[in-house]
Amino acid sequence: MMGSGTDFNPEGSENDDLKFQLLCGAALLVGAYMLCVTLVQDFLTVSKAINIILTVVLFGMLLLPLAVPRTANWLYKRGEKEANTDLEEPLLVDNISADEGEDEKYDGDEDYNHDIDNDDESEYGGATSEASDDFANEVQVNGQSNAALFDGPKVSRGPNNVSAATGSSEITLSKAFRSLNYWLLFFSILFSMGSGITAFNNLGQVAEAQGYTSAQVFVSMVNIWNFVGRLGGGYISEILTRDYGYPRTMLLAIAQVCMALGHVLFATALPGSLYVAILFVAVGYGSLWSVFPTALSELFGLMNFGVLYNFGTMASPCGSLVYSTFIAGPVYDWHAKIQGSSTCEGRVCFELTFFVLAGACLVASALSTILSIRTRKLELPQNDYRSHGHSYLIRNTSLFSV
């Protein structure tokens, strides 16, 4: 009889995962609805009565998360019931046939059964002990080999043999400054996030220069796609890292390439390209904000995460300051002066700016790729250790090497 601490809980991890998926689905549904309404209001003339109906429907959809717990419990119990129904008949047949076979083969042979029991204890007990020792040695060897992947000084270990890379108090901002990995991550964020903020801050002037009468719809689209990027980026990065063992920074590189494509579309200013450009830049930008904190914590631990994270986020406004002050502003004013006006019209107003931003995002993607290569052997798939009945994720043990 199980104790209260080990009783089976139907609200277990599988049910929690189902609730999380339903919440994400509800959030995406609300975001998709808002995007459709925004585009309809931009392309069509909608009456006041229709706007009221659309608003009422939106408020109704905002109540969807309230139904998630009951829906998740119902789906979980239904799936569990179907699984039990499918397995009931085969299990009974196997058990009956197995019992009959054992009765026919070993009935009355007590001495033989006794000998088998003793052999099992000695043989399998020793095998289990040896397998555990082999697995412990394997993990130890892997840890030592991982520490030697990069050239440079090794990380010191504390009294409990805990590596500084796994979150001990040894990781400080000064030590992070001596890590090439930290600066790769910092400048990757500086080049890419700064370009996204620059694009969003100048969105009104970009829309005006390309002949759009209002930038309201584009501001709404930025918020919606930014949300989708944050939600989707975090979810996809978990799958890549947890299930396949790829470094989380690989998704940073992908998101930065996505932003580069968006900046190119901004620069070309083709008819209708602004809608697609915002999609690429906002989704990539949101993904960066979702993946960057987790990647930072995985690489440098949690003991001094606050200081490391806050210093890292300074890269975003610093990049925006450089781009806006020395590129976007002067280029726009120069072309406006050539046109003899205080405002600029045409794609020339931001063409050079967005090509520069696209190049910066490609540089950021290259930096993230280098960081992924440096840490690719340190993020091992959990499947490698499932055969031993364990689940491990080997962490970086030489973060401070340069």
Side-chain angles (χ1 to χ4, degrees):
M1 187 90 178
M2 287 185 180
S4 59
T6 57
D7 289 342
F8 173 71
N9 182 12
E11 305 291 333
S13 59
E14 294 182 2
N15 199 8
D16 291 339
D17 290 341
L18 184 58
K19 290 178 182 178
F20 175 75
Q21 293 172 2
L22 290 175
L23 282 173
C24 290
L28 291 175
L29 183 62
V30 173
Y33 176 80
M34 293 179 63
L35 178 62
C36 292
V37 170
T38 301
L39 293 176
V40 167
Q41 291 176 341
D42 182 58
F43 288 106
L44 302 176
T45 301
V46 181
S47 64
K48 184 177 180 180
I50 298 297
N51 282 328
I52 293 176
I53 294 174
L54 294 175
T55 304
V56 171
V57 173
L58 175 61
F59 279 107
M61 296 181 68
L62 291 175
L63 300 177
L64 286 176
L66 298 177
V68 166
R70 289 185 177 274
T71 304
N73 291 336
W74 178 77
L75 291 174
Y76 180 80
K77 292 177 180 179
R78 180 182 178 184
E80 191 179 43
K81 183 178 179 181
E82 291 178 355
N84 291 335
T85 302
D86 294 338
L87 293 176
E88 183 176 2
E89 184 175 352
L91 284 176
L92 290 175
V93 172
D94 292 342
N95 289 334
I96 292 173
S97 61
D99 292 340
E100 290 177 351
E102 290 177 359
D103 291 340
E104 292 176 358
K105 186 174 182 179
Y106 303 118
D107 186 19
D109 196 352
E110 296 179 356
D111 294 336
Y112 181 75
N113 291 334
H114 180 69
D115 294 338
I116 290 179
D117 292 339
N118 292 334
D119 293 341
D120 288 344
E121 291 179 0
S122 61
E123 178 181 354
Y124 292 103
T128 303
S129 177
E130 292 175 1
S132 301
D133 294 339
D134 292 342
F135 176 65
N137 294 332
E138 179 183 351
V139 173
Q140 184 177 3
V141 170
N142 285 338
Q144 294 173 353
S145 62
N146 285 336
L149 284 176
F150 306 129
D151 295 332
K154 302 299 183 294
V155 177
S156 60
R157 294 179 177 268
N160 296 326
N161 200 33
V162 177
S163 170
T166 62
S168 73
S169 58
E170 296 182 10
I171 293 188
T172 61
L173 188 61
S174 61
K175 284 195 173 183
F177 284 169
R178 298 196 295 271
S179 167
L180 177 59
N181 290 345
Y182 187 81
W183 289 113
L184 287 172
L185 185 61
F186 180 87
F187 282 105
S188 172
I189 296 301
L190 187 148
F191 290 137
S192 55
M193 282 189 181
S195 71
I197 295 178
T198 302
F200 302 149
N201 288 343
N202 293 277
L203 193 56
Q205 291 179 315
V206 172
E208 181 182 4
Q210 295 187 14
Y212 294 95
T213 57
S214 175
Q216 182 178 357
V217 62
F218 302 119
V219 174
S220 299
M221 289 182 62
V222 165
N223 294 326
I224 294 171
W225 289 122
N226 184 19
F227 157 75
V228 172
R230 290 174 186 253
L231 184 62
Y235 186 76
I236 294 173
S237 70
E238 281 299 312
I239 294 176
L240 288 177
T241 303
R242 180 184 58 193
D243 297 340
Y244 298 97
Y246 292 110
R248 201 177 298 269
T249 48
M250 181 178 294
L251 189 60
L252 288 179
I254 296 173
Q256 287 154 351
V257 171
C258 180
M259 292 183 68
L261 293 175
H263 289 314
V264 171
L265 290 175
F266 269 118
T268 56
L270 298 174
S273 63
L274 191 56
Y275 295 93
V276 184
I278 290 174
L279 185 155
F280 281 110
V281 175
V283 168
Y285 179 81
S287 299
L288 294 181
W289 275 114
S290 177
V291 177
F292 165 65
T294 312
L296 183 68
S297 66
E298 287 181 346
L299 292 175
F300 298 96
L302 295 174
M303 292 299 291
N304 294 291
F305 173 76
V307 111
L308 294 173
Y309 173 74
N310 285 310
F311 183 85
T313 54
M314 290 175 57
S316 178
C318 287
S320 174
L321 179 64
V322 172
Y323 294 141
S324 299
T325 304
F326 299 103
I327 301 176
V331 170
Y332 181 89
D333 293 338
W334 182 56
H335 284 289
K337 185 178 180 180
I338 292 177
Q339 296 177 2
S341 174
S342 59
T343 59
C344 180
E345 297 181 359
R347 73 176 189 179
V348 294
C349 304
F350 290 97
E351 183 178 20
L352 177 61
T353 298
F354 281 110
F355 276 126
V356 171
L357 296 183
C361 285
L362 292 178
V363 172
S365 180
L367 295 178
S368 296
T369 302
I370 294 173
L371 183 58
S372 298
I373 294 173
R374 287 173 58 86
T375 59
R376 70 187 185 280
K377 294 183 180 180
L378 307 176
E379 300 279 357
L380 299 180
Q382 295 182 1
N383 293 333
D384 291 350
Y385 299 102
R386 285 177 183 169
S387 59
H388 298 280
H390 297 272
S391 178
Y392 287 91
L393 186 63
I394 303 301
R395 299 299 183 192
N396 194 338
T397 56
S398 64
L399 290 174
F400 304 116
S401 62
V402 294

